[in-house]
Amino acid sequence: MVYTLPMSTPRSNDTPSTILIASAKLHPALEQALARAGFRVGVVNRGDAALAAVRQPQPAERVALVLLDAALAGSADMELCSRLAGTAPVLVMSTVPSDEEQEQALRAGAAGYLRLPCSPADVVEKVTVELAVRHAWLPVAGPLDTGNLEVNYHALLAGSPDAIILYDAERGLPVDVNRNAERMFGRGGTELMGMRLADLCPTVQPDGTPSHAAVDALVARGLSGDIRIFPLTFQHSSGRQIDGELRLVVLEKGELRLLHMRVADVTGQRIAEALRTGQNRLLEMIARGAPLQAILDKLLLLIEGQAPGLVCTVLLLEEDGVTVRGGAAPSMPPDFMHAFDGLQIGPEVGCCGSAMFRREPVVVPDIGRDPRWNGWHDLAAIYGLRACWAMPILTDRQTVLGSFAIYYRDVRLPRADDERLIAVAVHLAGIAIERFRREAELARHRHHLEELVAERTAELRSAKERAEHASAELAGALDDLRKTQEELVRRDKLAALGGLVAGVAHELNTPIGNTLTIASAMSERLLALRAGLAAGLRRSDLEQYLAAAGEADEVVVRNLRRAAALIASFRQVAVDTASSQRRQFRLDEFIAELVLPLTAAMRPPRPRVVQDVAPGLAMDSYPGPLGQAVSALFENAVIHGLGGRDDGIVTIAAHAREDGMIALSVADNGAGIAPEILPRVYDPFFTTRPGAGGSGLGLHVTHNIVTGVLGGRIAVRSLPGSGTTFTMTLPAVAPE
């Protein structure tokens, strides 16, 4: 008896065709799959809406089946499932399936239990079969009519594009198969229905599990309502193994426990997947720099595993482009490859030699009759090789790297699948061989580079020794130079000190000499007066002595004051900051207060003073030393620059610089300074007007004040006939 379901009988207009999805979650993929299968789809997300939907009075709007989310089914008793099942069949869907929940659903009246996630196509198939079993396409009402059932379900199987087996779980035998199943297994329908499912499999599955145990476990899971894809390896009547995938749907009608099995042959997919996986592993080996021999062996075994019965080889061509040297043939004895070692390629040198010479594929369907195999016919016969297809391995530059060959053990031409495999093999072999050649070339360059580095290192070591010797000599010379420099500095200091002492002596010599001369003269007069006093002093002698004493006193006082002034100026050469008071002040106000007494102290003709000081310039510095420096520059401009000119102008200017410093300048429009004198203006006791009352220390003291106490620098700019400008660059905040 064949148990089949009626799909071919037309439905009446009263047959409900709406599938209701009752779930709080959205299932857009499932809705689309049901719509494509020809069903009307309704969606609700509450229990009361689901109950209202199944109670529709119009036949065309009635619900044919409910897909109920377990989370919406109610408590442990699934009250909503019980109420819905009284009106329409219910398939409970669960995203967290369990055996306990499945039992609860079946007790509540559910027609089935779907374990999510699963393919929407599998759910549609379950729905279709359930409706076929139920009522939608049965021509009679009441008990199951086996006769009608057989004809209609058999038509369903015949029209299916997949291999379908209707399996009786109780008897463990198929009860119906379609033509696609007969073609897949290479057996007739009658033969198939007399064989158990395990009889259609090899004795052991690829994972080592006995096939009968694997089938029992698969059937048990299918009967539990577990809808998913089950892998199972079958065996063709010819002995060829078939990698299959099963999709199971449980059909329970009365005493019948049937499994609707849809079998897909995925052998090609598995082979293609194995090829992709193998390619990735080979590329990883190439990237890691694995040995070329290991890569080629792995590649050839991968290609041979794609088409059992093939034997593959790779021959390598030397860089001279004519000599065969080495290669790989993991499925052949070493003697076979040795026969080609050292071979010179040519147009009639076997398949591989000809392919490398011609740079094009060479196909030999019968090795025994092909003249290109003259001399190797016996070798091919020993190893059972009857046909060959060789392909040259080329780089992008059309350089031949070697050849890849597929050998057949029967007289034949290559198949389309072989063309695909050889293309993959040639591509991967080309990558590996070219990388190997480049690494070998890099190794040669590296070795050569190491030799060059060694030579260069020796040269550098010698140069280093010479440099160290020269450095030692330079160090000695530098030490001598430092000693010489120290001696020169000492001499310069002594010379400067001598100049300073000479200057001091020269300046003090005049007032002191004058005072000494007057004192000596007055001493002689005093002796004469005392002598005259003993003999009798006349009034006229006393009056002469007193007149001379008055004149001498005036000269002595004047010269002593001159000496005191000189000593005071000498003391200013070494600026004493300890006695200077620091404070904050505004520069424009300070200059204005300073200019008035300076101008008043000048003898006529007085110069015109121009003040160009930017307002608001604040300084935190020493106003005493600053005023002394400005006064010295002012006096230097009046005395040496202007020299009594009636049109003399002295300009005092100040402005802030971009670097935060303040530029304070004193300029005149006088005679200027000769270029040969300009470098000496800061030297002590240097003056261009000796005997005019100046000591030659004014600019020297000013330089010491600016660079010392005030923490700045001073510069002079002058041209003969164009005046002179002294510029002091000072920090707004003087150093501590």
Side-chain angles (χ1 to χ4, degrees):
M1 179 64 65
V2 179
Y3 299 91
T4 52
L5 299 178
M7 287 290 292
S8 59
T9 302
R11 292 175 289 173
S12 67
N13 293 333
D14 294 337
T15 303
S17 62
T18 299
I19 306 300
L20 180 67
I21 301 176
S23 173
K25 298 179 180 179
L26 298 178
H27 300 274
L30 179 57
E31 294 178 34
Q32 295 174 6
L34 289 168
R36 285 195 298 268
F39 293 102
R40 295 176 60 186
V41 181
V43 179
V44 295
N45 56 14
R46 299 195 317 272
D48 56 347
L51 291 171
V54 298
R55 293 170 183 165
Q56 286 292 335
Q58 299 298 327
E61 297 178 0
R62 284 203 301 267
V63 173
L65 183 141
V66 180
L67 293 173
L68 176 63
D69 190 342
L72 201 65
S75 63
D77 294 332
M78 294 191 176
E79 299 88 350
L80 180 60
C81 179
S82 301
R83 298 178 65 182
L84 292 173
T87 306
V90 178
L91 298 180
V92 175
M93 304 183 298
S94 178
T95 56
V96 285
S98 66
D99 294 340
E100 180 180 359
E101 187 180 60
Q102 180 178 3
E103 293 178 1
Q104 294 170 353
L106 296 177
R107 284 199 303 268
Y113 184 78
L114 305 180
R115 297 172 182 263
L116 302 181
C118 67
S119 169
D122 292 334
V123 177
V124 172
E125 183 176 11
K126 175 69 174 177
V127 169
T128 302
V129 173
E130 183 65 32
L131 291 177
V133 171
R134 288 271 175 175
H135 58 80
W137 294 274
L138 291 180
V140 295
L144 184 66
D145 188 325
T146 304
N148 287 327
L149 183 64
E150 176 181 359
V151 173
N152 294 325
Y153 189 72
H154 192 75
L156 168 67
L157 298 186
S160 174
D162 300 318
I164 303 295
I165 298 175
L166 186 62
Y167 185 78
D168 188 339
E170 293 295 335
R171 296 190 303 133
L173 292 172
V175 294
D176 200 2
V177 297
N178 65 356
R179 292 289 299 172
N180 288 332
E182 295 175 3
R183 284 191 289 268
M184 175 179 290
F185 297 109
R187 304 176 187 275
T190 303
E191 182 182 3
L192 285 175
M193 286 188 288
M195 300 177 66
R196 294 183 176 275
L197 195 58
D199 297 336
L200 298 175
C201 304
T203 306
V204 179
Q205 293 292 304
D207 61 356
T209 304
S211 291
H212 65 84
V215 169
D216 291 344
L218 184 149
V219 170
R221 296 180 67 179
L223 291 174
S224 68
D226 192 356
I227 299 180
R228 67 176 65 183
I229 299 174
F230 299 99
L232 189 65
T233 299
F234 296 97
Q235 187 168 355
H236 191 269
S237 60
S238 64
R240 173 175 58 86
Q241 291 192 354
I242 304 170
D243 291 328
E245 288 183 350
L246 268 68
R247 291 174 173 81
L248 304 181
V249 177
V250 182
L251 306 178
E252 294 190 41
K253 297 301 295 181
E255 299 297 328
L256 298 178
R257 301 186 67 198
L258 306 179
L259 284 175
H260 175 81
M261 295 184 177
R262 187 172 65 187
V263 186
D265 184 355
V266 295
T267 305
Q269 298 177 16
R270 297 285 169 81
I271 291 176
E273 182 179 354
L275 180 61
R276 287 193 298 271
T277 303
Q279 286 179 269
N280 292 336
R281 291 176 179 171
L282 283 168
L283 290 174
E284 290 177 3
M285 292 178 67
I286 295 172
R288 290 197 308 267
L292 179 62
Q293 189 67 47
I295 295 173
L296 294 179
D297 287 346
K298 185 81 172 179
L299 170 63
L300 298 184
L301 291 175
L302 173 64
I303 299 303
E304 291 172 356
Q306 293 288 303
L310 299 182
V311 178
C312 302
T313 65
V314 168
L315 294 180
L316 302 180
L317 193 63
E318 289 272 0
E319 293 187 13
D320 61 8
V322 295
T323 306
V324 176
R325 190 72 66 187
S331 299
M332 297 292 288
D335 292 343
F336 180 80
M337 296 300 292
H338 290 163
F340 299 100
D341 193 50
L343 179 72
Q344 302 292 310
I345 65 174
E348 302 294 331
V349 183
C351 292
C352 294
S354 300
M356 287 186 279
F357 181 83
R358 300 176 185 274
R359 297 184 181 179
E360 61 184 19
V362 173
V363 178
V364 176
D366 188 351
I367 292 177
R369 296 184 179 182
D370 195 287
R372 284 170 290 201
W373 279 84
N374 289 339
W376 295 287
H377 287 138
D378 293 341
L379 179 68
I382 291 173
Y383 297 109
L385 307 179
R386 302 294 303 279
C388 177
W389 181 13
M391 177 77 76
I393 302 173
L394 304 173
T395 66
D396 292 339
R397 299 183 300 273
Q398 298 301 308
T399 300
V400 180
L401 302 176
S403 67
F404 178 88
I406 290 181
Y407 291 91
Y408 305 92
R409 299 195 183 278
D410 55 344
V411 175
R412 52 171 290 188
L413 289 170
R415 298 189 299 262
D417 291 343
D418 298 339
E419 295 180 8
R420 177 178 55 84
L421 291 176
I422 200 169
V424 172
V426 167
H427 176 66
L428 293 175
I431 295 175
I433 298 170
E434 187 171 11
R435 180 184 178 90
F436 174 77
R437 282 197 175 184
R438 290 181 179 177
E439 289 180 349
E441 184 177 359
L442 286 175
R444 290 194 297 269
H445 287 306
R446 192 181 302 114
H447 179 69
H448 180 59
L449 182 60
E450 290 174 354
E451 294 178 349
L452 293 177
V453 169
E455 295 176 1
R456 184 58 177 163
T457 302
E459 294 176 0
L460 291 175
R461 187 178 295 110
S462 176
K464 179 186 176 191
E465 294 173 355
R466 294 195 300 271
E468 290 175 349
H469 179 69
S471 177
E473 294 180 350
L474 288 174
L478 182 61
D479 186 59
D480 294 340
L481 180 61
R482 184 166 51 251
K483 292 179 180 178
T484 303
Q485 184 181 20
E486 291 174 355
E487 179 66 20
L488 290 174
V489 170
R490 186 179 66 82
R491 291 181 181 180
D492 288 345
K493 288 182 178 179
L494 289 176
L497 180 60
L500 179 62
V501 171
V504 170
H506 174 75
E507 292 296 329
L508 292 178
N509 183 57
T510 300
I512 293 175
N514 293 336
T515 302
L516 182 60
T517 300
I518 295 299
S520 298
M522 290 305 297
S523 177
E524 292 176 356
R525 284 179 175 271
L526 180 61
L527 290 175
L529 181 63
R530 285 177 178 175
L533 182 61
L537 184 64
R538 294 180 299 188
R539 181 180 180 86
S540 60
D541 292 335
L542 180 60
E543 289 177 351
Q544 289 178 357
Y545 175 79
L546 291 175
E551 292 177 357
D553 181 64
E554 182 180 353
V555 172
V556 168
V557 170
R558 185 170 62 252
N559 280 280
L560 288 178
R561 286 178 178 175
R562 172 63 178 164
L566 288 173
I567 291 173
S569 65
F570 296 155
R571 291 181 60 189
Q572 292 175 358
V573 173
V575 180
D576 183 12
T577 62
S579 61
S580 302
Q581 294 184 353
R582 179 176 183 148
R583 64 181 176 87
Q584 296 180 357
F585 57 92
R586 287 183 54 177
L587 188 58
D588 53 348
E589 296 176 353
F590 174 79
I591 296 297
E593 294 173 356
L594 183 66
V595 166
L596 184 61
L598 286 176
T599 306
M602 293 290 101
R603 294 178 181 178
R606 295 185 179 91
R608 183 165 63 91
V609 180
V610 177
Q611 299 181 51
D612 184 17
V613 181
L617 288 178
M619 296 188 69
D620 182 358
S621 189
Y622 300 93
L626 178 59
Q628 184 179 347
V630 173
S631 299
L633 293 175
F634 185 87
E635 292 175 358
N636 183 77
V638 172
I639 296 172
H640 297 282
L642 300 178
R645 290 175 52 176
D646 295 333
D647 58 347
I649 301 174
V650 177
T651 303
I652 302 176
H655 65 274
R657 290 161 46 102
E658 292 182 356
D659 58 1
M661 304 286 280
I662 294 176
L664 175 60
S665 63
V666 177
D668 64 72
N669 62 340
I673 303 174
E676 63 273 12
I677 297 176
L678 204 59
R680 302 184 57 193
V681 294
Y682 302 119
D683 292 350
F685 303 109
F686 177 77
T687 179
T688 59
R689 300 184 64 184
S695 63
L697 292 173
L699 291 180
H700 180 69
V701 172
T702 301
H703 182 275
N704 289 350
I705 291 174
V706 171
T707 58
V709 178
L710 302 180
R713 58 186 183 272
I714 185 170
V716 59
R717 185 178 72 254
S718 180
L719 288 175
S722 300
T724 302
T725 301
F726 284 91
T727 302
M728 297 177 287
T729 304
L730 307 173
V733 179
E736 296 292 340

